Amino acid sequence: MTTTTVSHILKASTHQTIGALKGILIKAEAYARQLNVEDSVLLTHRLYPDMFDLTRQVQIACDTVARGAARLAGLEMPAFPDTEQTFGELMARCDKVIAYVNGVDNAKIDASANVTLQIPMGANTMPMEGKAYLSGFILTNLHFHAAIAYALLRSQGLNIGKRDYLVPVE
Amino acid sequence: MTTTTVSHILKASTHQTIGALKGILIKAEAYARQLNVEDSVLLTHRLYPDMFDLTRQVQIACDTVARGAARLAGLEMPAFPDTEQTFGELMARCDKVIAYVNGVDNAKIDASANVTLQIPMGANTMPMEGKAYLSGFILTNLHFHAAIAYALLRSQGLNIGKRDYLVPVE
């Protein structure tokens, strides 16, 4: 067999990257305690004034996989309110999103692999097969926002490395 | 059919993300001309002293897909010398890498999907099936370094947005 499934890649990538993001947030929380600053000092940092801050980057990384799984499986969009103000609350969101994606039926996700979906892009929609939506949109956006979150903490002096990005926390 | 192939995802992701990176480098070169600075001013920027600079981030993003394709297909590792000093040279590297990955035989790549490969990690190797190597290592590293490259230019004031990261240059 030389094939792999959309559901397998989506679930493995969610486990790996949202799990790694949670591990990075755990280290960031300890770093804030060590610096004796409020979580918000690190969480509101931006790389440039018109970029999203760290809190929003984590929220979008989480939403990307949750909404992606729902759209592929033909489910109602899950709603995770954007109310987090601490590292602990963002870690809990990572846990919730991993559990949500894991709970979506593989057969339902895979049934969309070769079906053309209408993917919302700003005010328009773009037709995209499920498997292209996975690699060209879900994974691309997941990693984009997770890597920017990493960069936001690294640029504030948090001592993390590539391994923290590649390996999910236990 | 509910499956997708490793070769398809690898080639589509390379086209999309290395192609988008090239487009971002084109805009960065114009930005350097507009600022009337040498390319090296932007290319040597780092988000933190012990992180890689922009040139190296682009080189690693390129190497990740080229070496990944070679390893999956059982080919000799391609060598791209790390000699680039200008945006133009980095754009040429993006072109070369896209051509290299496109030229690797799909059947050879897909033959490794369920085969356990020994992936070098620092001084050790890690056993990983080809499909896990694709989603857990190649795509993760590709996007990590491409997103950091984006962040390095965005944080220097280059006017780019998410669309530049998602859509390859024509």
Side-chain angles (χ1 to χ4, degrees), chain B residues 42 50 59 63 80 116-117 123:
Chain B
L42 302 178
D50 65 349
Q59 289 167 341
D63 278 354
F80 297 95
T116 300
L117 306 170

PDB file of all heavy atoms in Angstrom, chain B residues 42 50 59 63 80 116-117 123:
ATOM      1  N   LEU B  42      18.955  42.928   5.130  1.00  0.00           N
ATOM      2  CA  LEU B  42      17.753  42.159   5.468  1.00  0.00           C
ATOM      3  C   LEU B  42      18.075  40.670   5.673  1.00  0.00           C
ATOM      4  O   LEU B  42      17.479  40.008   6.529  1.00  0.00           O
ATOM      5  CB  LEU B  42      16.695  42.303   4.361  1.00  0.00           C
ATOM      6  CG  LEU B  42      16.235  43.732   4.034  1.00  0.00           C
ATOM      7  CD1 LEU B  42      15.232  43.712   2.875  1.00  0.00           C
ATOM      8  CD2 LEU B  42      15.588  44.394   5.244  1.00  0.00           C
ATOM      9  N   ASP B  50      20.815  33.726  18.901  1.00  0.00           N
ATOM     10  CA  ASP B  50      21.208  32.338  18.599  1.00  0.00           C
ATOM     11  C   ASP B  50      20.207  31.622  17.688  1.00  0.00           C
ATOM     12  O   ASP B  50      20.148  30.391  17.668  1.00  0.00           O
ATOM     13  CB  ASP B  50      21.473  31.538  19.882  1.00  0.00           C
ATOM     14  CG  ASP B  50      20.224  31.365  20.715  1.00  0.00           C
ATOM     15  OD1 ASP B  50      19.212  32.030  20.423  1.00  0.00           O
ATOM     16  OD2 ASP B  50      20.236  30.552  21.660  1.00  0.00           O
ATOM     17  N   GLN B  59      17.587  28.542   3.101  1.00  0.00           N
ATOM     18  CA  GLN B  59      18.371  27.367   2.688  1.00  0.00           C
ATOM     19  C   GLN B  59      17.828  26.089   3.339  1.00  0.00           C
ATOM     20  O   GLN B  59      17.697  25.051   2.675  1.00  0.00           O
ATOM     21  CB  GLN B  59      19.844  27.560   3.081  1.00  0.00           C
ATOM     22  CG  GLN B  59      20.557  28.616   2.247  1.00  0.00           C
ATOM     23  CD  GLN B  59      21.903  29.025   2.833  1.00  0.00           C
ATOM     24  OE1 GLN B  59      22.181  28.801   4.021  1.00  0.00           O
ATOM     25  NE2 GLN B  59      22.743  29.646   2.013  1.00  0.00           N
ATOM     26  N   ASP B  63      16.373  22.765   1.589  1.00  0.00           N
ATOM     27  CA  ASP B  63      17.018  21.457   1.803  1.00  0.00           C
ATOM     28  C   ASP B  63      16.037  20.430   2.349  1.00  0.00           C
ATOM     29  O   ASP B  63      16.145  19.237   2.045  1.00  0.00           O
ATOM     30  CB  ASP B  63      18.180  21.592   2.801  1.00  0.00           C
ATOM     31  CG  ASP B  63      19.444  22.105   2.116  1.00  0.00           C
ATOM     32  OD1 ASP B  63      19.445  22.230   0.879  1.00  0.00           O
ATOM     33  OD2 ASP B  63      20.425  22.380   2.834  1.00  0.00           O
ATOM     34  N   PHE B  80      23.182  21.231  -2.550  1.00  0.00           N
ATOM     35  CA  PHE B  80      23.015  22.624  -2.966  1.00  0.00           C
ATOM     36  C   PHE B  80      23.955  23.447  -2.093  1.00  0.00           C
ATOM     37  O   PHE B  80      23.696  23.612  -0.893  1.00  0.00           O
ATOM     38  CB  PHE B  80      21.567  23.081  -2.773  1.00  0.00           C
ATOM     39  CG  PHE B  80      20.574  22.335  -3.619  1.00  0.00           C
ATOM     40  CD1 PHE B  80      19.885  21.243  -3.113  1.00  0.00           C
ATOM     41  CD2 PHE B  80      20.335  22.722  -4.930  1.00  0.00           C
ATOM     42  CE1 PHE B  80      18.963  20.552  -3.889  1.00  0.00           C
ATOM     43  CE2 PHE B  80      19.418  22.038  -5.718  1.00  0.00           C
ATOM     44  CZ  PHE B  80      18.731  20.956  -5.198  1.00  0.00           C
ATOM     45  N   THR B 116       9.782   1.446   6.855  1.00  0.00           N
ATOM     46  CA  THR B 116      10.454   2.133   7.960  1.00  0.00           C
ATOM     47  C   THR B 116      11.833   2.614   7.503  1.00  0.00           C
ATOM     48  O   THR B 116      12.679   1.817   7.128  1.00  0.00           O
ATOM     49  CB  THR B 116      10.588   1.203   9.181  1.00  0.00           C
ATOM     50  OG1 THR B 116       9.267   0.812   9.578  1.00  0.00           O
ATOM     51  CG2 THR B 116      11.266   1.922  10.335  1.00  0.00           C
ATOM     52  N   LEU B 117      12.003   3.935   7.525  1.00  0.00           N
ATOM     53  CA  LEU B 117      13.271   4.542   7.126  1.00  0.00           C
ATOM     54  C   LEU B 117      14.049   4.910   8.393  1.00  0.00           C
ATOM     55  O   LEU B 117      13.456   5.101   9.455  1.00  0.00           O
ATOM     56  CB  LEU B 117      13.004   5.805   6.307  1.00  0.00           C
ATOM     57  CG  LEU B 117      12.079   5.648   5.096  1.00  0.00           C
ATOM     58  CD1 LEU B 117      11.702   7.016   4.524  1.00  0.00           C
ATOM     59  CD2 LEU B 117      12.752   4.797   4.023  1.00  0.00           C
ATOM     60  N   ALA B 123      23.029  13.258  16.095  1.00  0.00           N
ATOM     61  CA  ALA B 123      24.035  12.197  16.003  1.00  0.00           C
ATOM     62  C   ALA B 123      23.390  10.818  15.855  1.00  0.00           C
ATOM     63  O   ALA B 123      24.070   9.839  15.589  1.00  0.00           O
ATOM     64  CB  ALA B 123      24.917  12.217  17.245  1.00  0.00           C
TER      65      ALA B 123
END
